[in-house]
């Protein structure tokens, strides 16, 4: 099933993100965690490519397993930076062979050792290069791309960031997923600006439930997200008590989701980070809203 068909149904869709294992040794435990999340029957699941410490070579194995064993539509992430055309072509071929019809087209972070090198000869410099490639090789993929309500760390200003986002959509992206954010007002302002810029495809807000205090610094470093005082107080109060922090972090994320839905945003992506208990709790917190028992 194509993700765009889920996003345009005009009813609440909750999707979960998982990441592949780092090593072959951890494959079975990651597979098990992703299966537990798949059993919750989310609207779809996305599997990252090399992000969150996972290894890209397992993205497809995990995505294929979720789709074939549990019938959950899957979105396979693919990054292109510093890759050759041959590598990307072979990945696209494998994704197609696996029967996966949804690809999240990303540039990926520039590896530290390549930051200062001449990028003019790279096959792919930006996500848009991958989007063109996908459109040229197999025009039947449903394609997603990333956006940043608080601007991408490399961008000098939001106007420029939105201009490049529009180029990705014009090149053929069907939907956009946002970087995590902890203040919904930032998302509402961003949506207003991108709609004004003529971007009309569905935008899926990405919500990250922070379930332990150690995650906070990592999440801010990764996303550059603004931490509202309300969230900081919660970490100050509960950060040293793991169970209380988990409960409070899930409640905060649930509250963000309810506010988004109350403001007519029907598609929400949860960065569930291979934690079935977090995905399950979020869904059960929303059971009456989703009209499902968990
Ligand atoms: P791009 O869209 O290429 O943008 C990167 C920067 O270049 C931005 O500053 C943009 O404004 C600028 N830019 C874009 N086009 C041009 C142009 N034509 N000329 C000049 N400047 C331009 N990383 C992973 O490694 N694996 C994953 O699975 C993964 N999943 C993600 C999922 C989501 C929803 C998000 C938000 C991020 C994800 N990331 C992942 C992180 C992502 O790879 C990084 O944020 C990366 O630095 C940028 O990727 P992008 O696709 O947004 O890049």
């Amino acid at each position: 099933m194509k993700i765009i068909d889920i996003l345009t149904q005009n009813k609440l869709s909750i999707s979960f993100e998982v990441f592949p294992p780092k090593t072959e040794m951890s494959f079975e435990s990651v597979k098990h965690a992703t299966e537990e999340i798949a059993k919750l029957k989310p609207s779809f699941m996305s599997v990252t490519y090399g992000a969150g410490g996972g290894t890209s070579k397992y993205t497809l194995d995990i995505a294929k397993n979720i789709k074939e064993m549990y019938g959950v539509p899957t979105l396979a992430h693919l990054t292109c930076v510093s890759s050759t055309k041959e590598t990307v072509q072979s990945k696209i071929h494998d994704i197609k062979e696996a029967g996966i019809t949804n690809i999240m087209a990303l540039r990926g972070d520039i590896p530290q050792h390549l930051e200062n090198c001449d990028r003019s000869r790279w096959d792919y410099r930006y996500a848009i290069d991958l989007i063109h490639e996908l459109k040229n090789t197999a025009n039947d993929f449903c394609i997603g791309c990333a956006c940043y309500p608080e601007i991408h760390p490399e961008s000098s200003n939001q106007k420029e960031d939105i201009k490049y986002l529009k180029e990705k959509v014009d090149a053929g992206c069907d939907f956009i997923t946002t970087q995590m954010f902890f203040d919904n007002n930032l998302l509402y302002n961003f949506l207003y600006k991108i709609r004004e810029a003529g971007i009309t495809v569905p935008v899926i807000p990405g919500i990250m439930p922070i379930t332990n205090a150690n995650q906070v610094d990592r999440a801010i470093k990764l996303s550059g997200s603004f931490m509202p005082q309300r969230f900081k107080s919660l970490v100050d109060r509960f950060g040293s008590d793991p169970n209380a922090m988990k409960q409070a972090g899930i409640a905060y994320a649930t509250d963000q989701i309810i506010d988004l839905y109350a403001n007519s945003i029907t598609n929400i992506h949860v960065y569930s980070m291979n934690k079935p208990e977090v995905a399950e709790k979020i869904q059960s917190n929303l059971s009456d809203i989703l009209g499902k028992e968990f």
Side-chain angles (χ1 to χ4, degrees):
M1 184 171 195
K2 294 210 168 159
I3 304 292
I4 189 64
D5 295 328
I6 298 167
L7 303 178
T8 47
Q9 280 171 352
N10 208 22
K11 65 175 197 190
L12 182 57
S13 84
I14 302 283
S15 50
F16 292 123
E17 182 156 305
V18 294
F19 55 84
K22 262 188 211 167
T23 59
E24 203 175 330
M25 272 191 23
S26 54
F27 185 83
E28 281 307 318
S29 68
V30 169
K31 182 168 160 252
H32 177 71
T34 61
E35 287 178 347
E36 291 302 302
I37 296 177
K39 284 180 194 165
L40 298 168
K41 295 276 170 219
S43 300
F44 70 88
M45 283 172 71
S46 72
V47 187
T48 65
Y49 187 86
T55 306
S56 49
K57 82 177 192 196
Y58 297 118
T59 298
L60 204 51
D61 297 340
I62 297 287
K64 201 171 168 222
N65 182 56
I66 295 164
K67 179 178 158 286
E68 288 178 358
M69 301 299 292
Y70 298 92
V72 176
T74 48
L75 169 63
H77 290 208
L78 181 61
T79 67
C80 60
V81 73
S82 73
S83 286
T84 61
K85 269 199 187 289
E86 291 70 35
T87 310
V88 168
Q89 276 293 340
S90 117
K91 293 282 175 192
I92 296 173
H93 173 266
D94 293 348
I95 293 173
K96 215 177 155 107
E97 283 287 290
I100 291 170
T101 49
N102 306 292
I103 295 191
M104 186 74 179
L106 299 145
R107 185 196 70 178
D109 285 326
I110 313 273
Q112 222 172 9
H113 68 283
L114 297 177
E115 260 169 15
N116 299 318
C117 75
D118 173 17
R119 299 178 197 175
S120 61
R121 277 185 279 151
W122 287 4
D123 286 344
Y124 306 91
R125 292 172 69 192
Y126 300 105
I128 193 168
D129 302 328
L130 175 59
I131 296 162
H132 286 310
E133 182 93 17
L134 285 166
K135 283 289 179 194
N136 289 339
T137 9
N139 201 10
D140 48 354
F141 281 117
C142 171
I143 305 173
C145 70
C147 73
Y148 305 83
E150 296 171 74
I151 85 170
H152 185 268
E154 288 165 36
S155 294
S156 51
N157 61 70
Q158 194 167 48
K159 207 168 168 194
E160 189 184 282
D161 218 24
I162 292 177
K163 180 182 113 173
Y164 293 129
L165 178 62
K166 174 130 186 351
E167 284 180 8
K168 291 197 282 190
V169 173
D170 291 345
C173 270
D174 299 286
F175 67 92
I176 311 170
T177 307
T178 79
Q179 179 60 285
M180 67 183 87
F181 57 90
F182 299 94
D183 178 347
N184 285 3
N185 287 327
L186 292 166
L187 190 270
Y188 300 135
N189 286 335
F190 175 71
L191 284 181
Y192 177 79
K193 287 181 187 161
I194 65 168
R195 297 306 184 211
E196 211 180 23
I199 297 172
T200 56
V201 295
V203 176
I204 320 178
I207 299 295
M208 166 76 98
I210 299 283
T211 53
N212 69 69
N214 299 334
Q215 242 181 308
V216 178
D217 289 343
R218 231 179 319 129
I220 299 176
K221 198 165 162 231
L222 188 80
S223 64
S225 301
F226 164 71
M227 285 281 161
Q229 189 53 47
R230 197 165 81 82
F231 189 82
K232 284 189 198 150
S233 307
L234 183 150
V235 179
D236 286 349
R237 180 75 179 85
F238 303 115
S240 56
D241 178 340
N243 289 339
M245 184 61 221
K246 193 177 213 176
Q247 193 167 48
I250 291 172
Y252 190 93
T254 306
D255 198 38
Q256 275 193 282
I257 295 172
I258 292 173
D259 179 68
L260 291 167
Y261 190 44
N263 283 283
S264 304
I265 291 172
T266 51
N267 304 302
I268 288 145
H269 192 59
V270 179
Y271 293 113
S272 50
M273 310 285 289
N274 300 1
K275 292 179 186 153
E277 73 287 4
V278 172
E280 195 276 331
K281 194 75 193 139
I282 297 253
Q283 277 206 343
S284 63
N285 283 349
L286 298 168
S287 59
D288 284 334
I289 293 171
L290 283 163
K292 281 193 204 171
E293 282 290 328
F294 296 102

